[in-house]
Amino acid sequence: MMKCSYNTPGPVVHSTVVHSTNGRPLGLIQGFIESSLREPKRPALFVAGRLVTYEELRAAALSMAATIKHAHRGDGQLIAILGSRSFSVYAGILGILASGRGYVPLNPKFPPERLARIIELSGISSVIVCPEAALLLPKLKGALTEPIQWLDGNAVTTRTAFDGNDLPPAIDEKAIAYLLFTSGSTGEPKGVAIRHCNVMPYIQWASTTYGFHLDDRFSQAFELTFDVSVHDMFVCWENGACLYVVPETDLSFPSKFINENRLTCWYSVPSVISTMARLRLLKPGSLPTLRYSFFAGEALSIESALLWATAAANSRIENLFGPTEATITIASHSWNGDRTASSNGTVPIGKINPGHQYALLDENDNEVPVDGLGELCVTGPQVALGYFHAQPERRDPFFRRPGSEALWYRTGDLVSCDAQGNLIFRGRTDSQVKVRGHRVELLEVDHWLQKILLGCQVVSLSWPFNNLNCDCIYSAIETSEQESLIRTKEILDQCRALLPEYMLPKDLFFLRNFPLNSNGKIDRKEISTILTRKLDANRKTGNE
Amino acid sequence: MSDQLKSARDFIVRSLEGELRDRGIGALSDDFNLITSGLLDSFGFLDLVTNIEAEFAIEIDFSTLDPAAFSTLGELSQAVVRQLADS
């Protein structure tokens, strides 16, 4: 059995076990249950135009937990849930946790083949299907090789009087709270299992640091497959506040939703700022209700932060940072409006969460000089214990440093530290990119294109090239075939059946020979130059 | 349908020709949502807005519009006509 404790020197500010009123540790759902006992009549959730009280949501969650208890065969500790932005999906997640199990979110927007692979990789035997995803079921069933038990996610909302004994079972803090899959460079989605003892310190940290209260109204914009959604839900409910689920139609341009519902806490990827600014939706003082604006998932430029600050004039701007493997975010910076906060035009990612340690290492795992650039490596309670059923990797991102028992995680992020001790994000050590905040391994895109194209060389690049953030992916393909004979649309259609929308190349470019550098390796930089030229040429023809 | 509305609508449909062909989508109704249908992502939508504004020499003020509506073909065409009337 793997241990879930760490030999981390330095103060651990928060205990990882919080006891409910009757002394049982309930893990991630604890805050929700306690808030529902304290303030049963207060609103917990606003979804699809409906306001739901804590009492009502708890009743639905416990009813779902009862369904799971009766129907779930076998002793699997994980249950998947297929749904999005509905009452059922939130009641379902709480229900899974209330049954003492961990949840695996499945995004209905993903292709059935990918969902089937995730189900297989996570070894689950039961999936809750929410009504909004019911139509996907035939295709998903067709893509699966093993039989799965499908549970009806049509959540019951009977207002049963609360029985004090009717609490979820005590959980082992080492049990998995949720399992998420991220893009993997081998073409296989990579599972990251987060345990209650990883996520509880985060929830406590966020609650203490920001001082939320009952009247706060949190946004829920992130997809449930993106771990920042765990902050939205569980930091909100820990504090007895109300979670406002942003409808699909308002996601890119949420100002009307924010104002109509008088949200106080906004949390999204920074790219929302530039799209809103482009439509002139960020007029001075136009988002007056916000007191906190959190951004994570990609680099926050100072330019974007200034635009947001003008609109959300009463809001603090918090830049948060960290990989799924270190639970939601592990560094944060409260931006004070300083236009010169960093030398590369981004808001610093700030300081590592208390109770954790970091090191900036070079390729030989030696610490870089004080003002040097190194790979950010972290250790502490939020760091997961490794990948879920993963194949061994050439260079395991989870590692131990000489003379220490603590498990460290290499983030792959290139970071420097300024004179104030703030960390600054400067790029990646590998070909992982963020497409509108979504983490994508370009090698995974290459892998699938190579499969479709029967082994042609492929180099996928994020666009704009050489930017910290990107809008989309373009792929270059080495082929001797005549370009007129290549059916780009058919290739892209095949990709669409395998990859989520944000991983699809926007276009393909065919090169007779890939340029090589002096070491005989494919010259990615030269390919990006060629693609820039071709894109410019296309744009010109498009405008004529 | 006014001439202005028709020309706005036609311009939008013409701009999306490639995407529509790729997905095998034929005639569009006014309530067709360009974003939630999966036809455009938010960046694609911004590109479209840039093209519309250049074509009609206007700046559309989206702050007064409902995002659930302005990303439909009908409302976006209407927004162009309203802006043309204001300018």
Side-chain angles (χ1 to χ4, degrees), chain A residues 249-288:
Chain A
T249 45
D250 295 61
L251 273 181
S252 306
F253 318 105
S255 34
K256 188 160 185 274
F257 186 83
I258 293 171
N259 284 327
E260 266 184 8
N261 296 295
R262 308 187 58 76
L263 298 195
T264 61
C265 304
W266 176 256
Y267 203 159
S268 74
V269 291
S271 56
V272 168
I273 302 174
S274 40
T275 49
M276 287 174 72
R278 173 64 191 79
L279 296 190
R280 304 172 190 95
L281 295 172
L282 292 179
K283 296 200 167 133
S286 60
L287 298 171

Side-chain angles (χ1 to χ4, degrees), chain A residues 248-250 252-253 256 271 274-275 278-281 283 436 470-471 489 493 496 501 506 543, chain B residues 21-23 33 35-36 41-43 45-46 49-50 53 59-63 65-68 70:
Chain A
E248 189 80 39
T249 45
D250 295 61
S252 306
F253 318 105
K256 188 160 185 274
S271 56
S274 40
T275 49
R278 173 64 191 79
L279 296 190
R280 304 172 190 95
L281 295 172
K283 296 200 167 133
R436 286 163 269 145
C470 60
D471 298 352
K489 181 185 174 302
D493 279 348
R496 194 167 282 128
E501 182 269 333
K506 190 158 186 184
N543 287 346
Chain B
R21 199 177 41 233
D22 283 355
R23 316 242 165 154
N33 191 307
I35 297 175
T36 55
D41 58 21
S42 53
F43 288 90
F45 185 74
L46 294 183
V49 169
T50 304
E53 293 187 335
E59 284 194 356
I60 305 173
D61 184 359
F62 285 90
S63 63
L65 304 174
D66 181 354
F70 70 57

